[in-house]
Amino acid sequence: MQGIPVVLDVDTGVDDACALLLAALHPCLDLRAVTCVGGNAPLVDVVRNTLTVLELVGRTDVPVGVGATRPLLEDPVDARHVHGSDGMADLGLPPPALEPDPRIAVELLRETVESSAAEGRPVTLVPLAPMTNIALFARLHPSAFGKLGRVVFMGGGANISNATAAAEFNVFHDPEAAAVVLDACAVHEVPVTMYGLDVFYEPKVTDAQVQRLRAVDTAPAQLAAALISFHHRRFASDGATIGDAGAVAMLLAPDAVRTERRPVRVELSGTWTRGRTIVDTRDWSGDMAHDPHGLSPAMVDVALEINGPWVADLWLRTVGGEQW
Ligand code: BDR
Ligand code: CA
């Protein structure tokens, strides 16, 4: 069986690493490329962390494209207070021998999306970071963007935020990019799913599960255990989310997530609300029809509920392999 062709855009990142593990190892996914963007850590750290994960799990065949160092308009910020000073849990791993692809992220995206479409197997693009690379791709290569099969992004939230009281980190970090991507999806009729904070924290791995992973003598299991354990310690909690990995899991287990198709906009101004995703949850067409703003052209499948334990188990079974 051929897996779903996927490309991940990452700012690795503890939970991006969890997502890379799932995408690299699950037999029903065909990981065709990974692109990197500054976000959780500066780009140089993100690229090294991404290459480290792929090398450790033996996926040196996957090309890694280097992308944007900074957002379109905002100053760069990072989230090293969440992910560690090296961006990936400060595990002290040796630098990878694997090198990035010579193609920059936008070119790697274009070539991968076009060649997959030519095979009749369009790419599912999974942005797990500020969407700077994806916005540049949409504007530089609109015809290639239109050949995407689907976009499933981690970002935003209907009711929950983290970077500010109003906004989620990935969208807040580059709101213009997120708005461009939603616009491009609407224009090119690319189906788009938002895996946001309403579901992001639910698939959790416990300390007991980490101890079980530690007993599995493989590189992916050891790395997975170290990543989750870092977050247990950092947040003094017995349960850590697999975060971005949930968006990848959604491709494999669509029934584990309840979505609603809703108009979504990104707030680009607003003193305290910049970067918020405005999910239109009104249910009376009369209100919607008389809205002076008109409806957002971007209709997004917004993830609102998830079977967290089931999704966490899917991740554990994949990273734990046959010994799990
Ligand atoms: C998002 O922000 C980053 O810190 C995580 O990697 C995730 O993509 C959650 O808001
Ligand atoms: Ca991320």
Side-chain angles (χ1 to χ4, degrees):
M1 189 190 78
Q2 289 181 311
I4 303 167
V6 292
V7 172
L8 265 51
D9 183 75
V10 294
D11 60 341
T12 319
V14 170
D15 61 320
D16 304 77
C18 293
L20 284 164
L21 287 173
L22 181 57
L25 296 171
H26 200 287
C28 297
L29 295 175
D30 174 8
L31 180 60
R32 296 196 160 195
V34 177
T35 52
C36 296
V37 65
N40 286 323
L43 183 64
V44 64
D45 294 317
V46 168
V47 172
R48 184 201 56 242
N49 295 341
T50 303
L51 294 169
T52 297
V53 173
L54 291 173
E55 186 171 282
L56 267 172
V57 302
R59 289 302 308 270
T60 54
D61 58 305
V62 178
V64 174
V66 178
T69 53
R70 52 155 299 155
L72 296 177
L73 196 55
E74 286 288 329
D75 289 331
V77 291
D78 63 52
R80 283 185 281 199
H81 61 292
V82 175
H83 297 267
S85 58
D86 72 350
M88 200 177 77
D90 295 322
L91 302 176
L93 297 168
L98 186 62
E99 302 249 341
D101 195 87
R103 291 165 289 185
I104 61 167
V106 168
E107 290 308 317
L108 180 58
L109 282 166
R110 181 179 66 77
E111 289 185 24
T112 310
V113 169
E114 284 188 333
S115 62
S116 300
E119 279 173 48
R121 305 187 63 234
V123 160
T124 295
L125 179 60
V126 188
L128 302 172
M131 288 201 274
T132 322
N133 289 338
I134 315 306
L136 292 169
F137 170 53
R139 291 306 190 232
L140 281 167
H141 302 300
S143 133
F145 187 93
K147 293 177 184 166
L148 283 167
R150 184 182 179 199
V151 172
V152 178
F153 72 95
M154 190 285 131
N159 301 304
I160 303 180
S161 41
N162 58 7
T164 70
E168 180 279 334
F169 177 85
N170 289 340
V171 178
F172 178 72
H173 195 62
D174 198 339
E176 281 73 20
V180 165
V181 172
L182 289 188
D183 173 72
C185 286
V187 167
H188 297 284
E189 298 181 357
V190 175
V192 53
T193 299
M194 179 170 115
Y195 185 91
L197 293 180
D198 306 282
V199 289
F200 177 85
Y201 294 109
E202 294 302 316
K204 288 193 184 74
V205 172
T206 65
D207 190 48
Q209 288 167 320
V210 166
Q211 298 317 324
R212 214 179 130 194
L213 267 184
R214 284 198 198 285
V216 176
D217 186 19
T218 63
Q222 294 301 311
L223 176 59
L227 292 167
I228 296 293
S229 170
F230 172 81
H231 270 172
H232 285 162
R233 280 178 277 121
R234 177 136 297 200
F235 298 113
S237 159
D238 178 39
T241 178
I242 61 170
D244 289 340
V248 176
M250 199 183 163
L251 310 182
L252 297 160
D255 293 347
V257 183
R258 184 179 73 78
T259 62
E260 285 181 17
R261 184 159 295 180
R262 295 284 178 181
V264 175
R265 279 197 174 99
V266 179
E267 175 63 278
L268 296 177
S269 55
T271 308
W272 311 113
T273 53
R274 180 163 154 80
R276 186 179 185 89
T277 45
I278 314 283
V279 178
D280 194 341
T281 54
R282 291 174 293 178
D283 59 7
W284 185 47
S285 57
D287 279 339
M288 297 171 103
H290 290 86
D291 184 335
H293 295 143
L295 291 190
S296 169
M299 295 298 292
V300 178
D301 292 317
V302 179
L304 291 172
E305 282 182 281
I306 190 166
N307 185 339
W310 203 94
V311 169
D313 186 60
L314 167 67
W315 184 78
L316 284 163
R317 279 186 279 118
T318 307
V319 299
E322 287 173 8
Q323 296 175 50
W324 180 255

